[in-house]
């Protein structure tokens, strides 16, 4: 009997000893999560940056040098406030040359008008004189015809009167045609000069506007987010001199992996989160081209003037791609890396058993459980990658 009792004691010690040698974790050192059932919004995650909804870009109107920087990045500006002053000497010289061209062309136009008027006056005088000559010849012809009937004028004299009257008529017609041609030609020349003047005056007006803009002024209230602050730097026409942002409203510029490209489209609802702060919105613009393996898109916010929004603030972006009314789910944590088949430690009777689990869609808060777990199961939600090869753990 004592021998049998001794055997039982030895066996018990072996069992307990083996259990004591089993790897273990302290309950206080791990975080757990319980599987429940409920709705889940399938989503993909992206990183975002808060930017002003409206940012006015001011470009250099001419090729010039920066001679003065009047405001610095971060300064609040009001509409009409000067920001950068440019050297305008070269442009002013061009403007003066243009004004001289306009004066010369104006003089040409005036001279052309005077020449036309003088020529028309001369032709009008010749026409009047020829008309009087024609009238006199026609009167003489009528008299000679009457006299010829009475035999007082020879046929040769009558014929000569007819020729003179006919020649005078031809000369008068030629003078009238010359006047019409001279007027048409001169009018065409004047019209051409007028068109040149219109073009030159438009160019002059544009030049004046450019010169007015060489002291770059803000066209709105806002904050200066960029300024070309190198005095003496050469800037080309069209180069950005400054940006003024309206910091009363914001949007989010977001980036996600290009593997999500087929899942992101304009109009999808979005949740933007900074720690415990959230706001909603929708995808407004999706850029058509990938950049360095990333898809870029813009988010319009429902509360674009939320008090916690700040320019250049980094935020998490959740694009909601589907809504499921009821699924098995578990709080998101480092125990799983995305969807698909993985392993999780399930707690039962002071033990943690490594269990194959297949996860479905996810969002910021939950993973969907497709297989391997049941409602009410409790799992270790902490990172357990150090125990991947261990099938069972003691939980102390």
């Amino acid at each position: 009997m004592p021998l049998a009792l001794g055997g039982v004691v030895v066996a018990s010690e072996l069992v307990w000893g083996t259990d004591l040698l089993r790897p273990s974790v302290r309950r206080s050192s791990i975080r757990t999560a319980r599987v429940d059932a409920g709705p889940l919004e399938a989503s993909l995650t992206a990183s975002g940056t808060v930017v002003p909804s409206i940012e006015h870009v001011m470009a250099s109107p001419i090729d010039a040098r920066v001679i003065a920087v009047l405001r610095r990045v971060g300064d609040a500006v009001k509409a009409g406030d000067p920001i950068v002053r440019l050297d305008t000497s070269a442009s002013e010289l061009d403007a003066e040359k243009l004004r001289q061209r306009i004066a010369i062309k104006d003089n040409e136009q005036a001279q052309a008008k005077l020449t036309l008027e003088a020529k028309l006056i001369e032709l009008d005088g010749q026409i009047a004189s020829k008309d009087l000559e024609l009238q006199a010849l026609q009167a003489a012809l009528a008299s000679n015809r009457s006299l010829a009937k009475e035999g007082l004028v020879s046929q040769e004299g009558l014929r000569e009167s007819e020729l003179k009257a006919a020649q005078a008529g031809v000369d008068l017609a030629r003078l009238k045609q010359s006047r019409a041609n001279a007027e048409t030609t001169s009018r065409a020349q004047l019209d051409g000069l007028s068109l040149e003047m219109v073009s030159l005056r438009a160019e002059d007006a544009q030049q004046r506007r450019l010169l007015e803009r060489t002291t770059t002024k803000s066209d709105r209230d806002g904050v200066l987010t960029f300024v070309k602050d190198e005095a003496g730097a050469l800037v080309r026409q069209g180069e950005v001199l400054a940006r003024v942002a309206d910091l009363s409203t914001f949007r989010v510029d977001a980036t996600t992996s290009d593997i999500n490209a087929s899942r992101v489209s304009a109009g999808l609802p979005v949740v933007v989160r900074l720690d415990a702060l959230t706001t909603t919105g929708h995808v407004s613009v999706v850029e058509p081209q990938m950049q360095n393996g990333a898809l870029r898109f813009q988010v319009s916010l429902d509360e674009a003037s939320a008090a916690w929004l700040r320019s250049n603030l980094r935020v998490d972006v959740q694009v909601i791609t589907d809504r499921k009314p009821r699924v098995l789910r578990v709080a998101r944590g480092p125990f799983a890396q995305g969807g698909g088949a993985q392993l999780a430690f399930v707690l039962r009777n002071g033990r943690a058993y490594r269990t194959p689990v297949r996860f479905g869609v996810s969002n910021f808060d939950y993973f969907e459980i497709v297989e391997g777990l049941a409602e009410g199961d409790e799992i270790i939600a902490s990172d357990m990658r150090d125990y991947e090869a261990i099938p069972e753990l003691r939980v102390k």
Side-chain angles (χ1 to χ4, degrees):
M1 186 72 175
L3 183 59
L5 181 59
V8 171
V9 171
V10 171
S12 298
E13 289 178 349
L14 288 173
V15 171
W16 283 101
T18 302
D19 191 58
L20 290 172
L21 293 175
R22 191 183 308 279
S24 63
V25 293
R26 292 186 176 277
R27 180 88 185 202
S28 60
S29 67
I30 60 173
R31 184 166 62 89
T32 64
R34 194 169 294 277
V35 177
D36 67 359
L40 187 144
E41 293 179 333
S43 65
L44 59 88
T45 59
S47 59
T49 303
V50 177
V51 298
S53 295
I54 301 173
E55 188 174 53
H56 175 61
V57 176
M58 287 167 285
S60 175
I62 57 175
D63 292 347
R65 290 190 181 277
V66 177
I67 59 174
V69 180
L70 308 176
R71 296 287 190 278
R72 298 294 176 183
V73 171
D75 288 354
V77 294
K78 294 187 177 298
D81 284 352
I83 298 173
V84 175
R85 185 177 296 122
L86 301 176
D87 180 8
T88 63
S89 56
S91 295
E92 287 175 350
L93 180 60
D94 291 340
E96 180 60 30
K97 290 179 179 178
L98 182 59
R99 285 192 287 272
Q100 291 177 2
R101 287 174 58 196
I102 291 174
I104 292 171
K105 195 61 67 176
D106 193 40
N107 185 53
E108 287 181 14
Q109 192 175 37
Q111 288 183 355
K113 286 181 179 178
L114 290 174
T115 301
L116 171 62
E117 289 173 359
K119 190 168 186 178
L120 292 180
I121 289 173
E122 180 183 355
L123 287 171
D124 284 341
Q126 293 178 10
I127 289 170
S129 176
K130 186 60 69 174
D131 187 50
L132 289 173
E133 180 183 347
L134 176 61
Q135 291 179 29
L137 290 172
Q138 287 176 339
L141 175 61
S143 176
N144 288 338
R145 282 174 176 166
S146 296
L147 294 172
K149 289 179 180 178
E150 297 176 3
L152 298 176
V153 174
S154 65
Q155 288 298 317
E156 183 179 348
L158 180 60
R159 179 61 177 164
E160 184 178 351
S161 295
E162 290 176 342
L163 288 174
K164 286 181 179 180
Q167 182 63 48
V170 170
D171 290 343
L172 180 60
R174 185 173 65 251
L175 285 172
K176 289 182 177 180
Q177 185 61 50
S178 294
R179 186 191 190 285
N181 291 343
E183 187 171 17
T184 300
T185 301
S186 297
R187 291 300 177 194
Q189 181 182 1
L190 288 173
D191 289 345
L193 289 171
S194 295
L195 288 174
E196 289 186 48
M197 286 294 293
V198 169
S199 177
L200 287 172
R201 292 190 188 282
E203 189 176 346
D204 181 56
Q206 176 67 11
Q207 190 76 16
R208 291 177 187 276
R209 285 194 295 270
L210 292 178
L211 287 173
E212 290 174 359
R213 290 168 50 200
T214 51
T215 297
T216 304
K217 298 178 182 179
S218 176
D219 68 345
R220 68 190 65 218
D221 296 350
V223 173
L224 197 61
T225 59
F226 169 81
V227 65
K228 185 79 172 180
D229 57 0
E230 303 171 25
L234 176 65
V235 291
R236 297 296 182 187
Q237 183 177 6
E239 185 175 343
V240 175
L241 289 174
R243 290 189 178 94
V244 176
D246 179 358
L247 298 186
S248 62
T249 60
F250 297 89
R251 71 168 194 269
V252 172
D253 287 349
T255 305
T256 188
S257 171
D258 58 0
I259 63 175
N260 295 322
S262 62
R263 302 174 61 196
V264 180
S265 60
L268 288 177
V270 171
V271 176
V272 175
R273 178 173 297 180
L274 177 66
D275 299 327
L277 300 170
T278 62
T279 188
T280 57
H282 65 275
V283 177
S284 56
V285 177
V286 180
E287 293 189 7
Q289 295 183 344
M290 310 294 173
Q291 297 182 15
N292 300 321
L295 173 70
R296 300 179 183 275
F297 59 96
Q298 294 179 10
V299 176
S300 293
L301 301 175
D302 295 334
E303 297 180 70
S305 302
W308 60 272
L309 294 173
R310 295 288 184 275
S311 183
N312 293 324
L313 190 67
R314 303 290 294 181
V315 292
D316 294 320
V317 177
Q318 177 183 354
V319 181
I320 299 171
T321 58
D322 191 14
R323 285 188 169 94
K324 298 188 175 184
R326 184 175 177 81
V327 296
L328 284 180
R329 63 186 187 177
V330 67
R332 192 182 182 100
F335 65 94
Q337 305 299 319
Q342 300 183 48
L343 297 173
F345 281 94
V346 181
L347 295 173
R348 294 191 182 95
N349 302 320
R351 298 283 194 278
Y353 299 96
R354 191 165 56 124
T355 305
V357 178
R358 187 158 68 89
F359 297 103
V361 298
S362 62
N363 59 23
F364 275 141
D365 301 311
Y366 294 101
F367 285 117
E368 178 191 16
I369 306 300
V370 178
E371 291 179 356
L373 297 175
E375 186 174 358
D377 282 348
E378 187 178 12
I379 68 168
I380 298 178
S382 303
D383 187 351
M384 298 298 286
R385 282 177 291 184
D386 292 341
Y387 300 93
E388 286 180 346
I390 299 173
E392 181 181 338
L393 291 171
R394 285 189 308 118
V395 181
K396 298 185 291 184

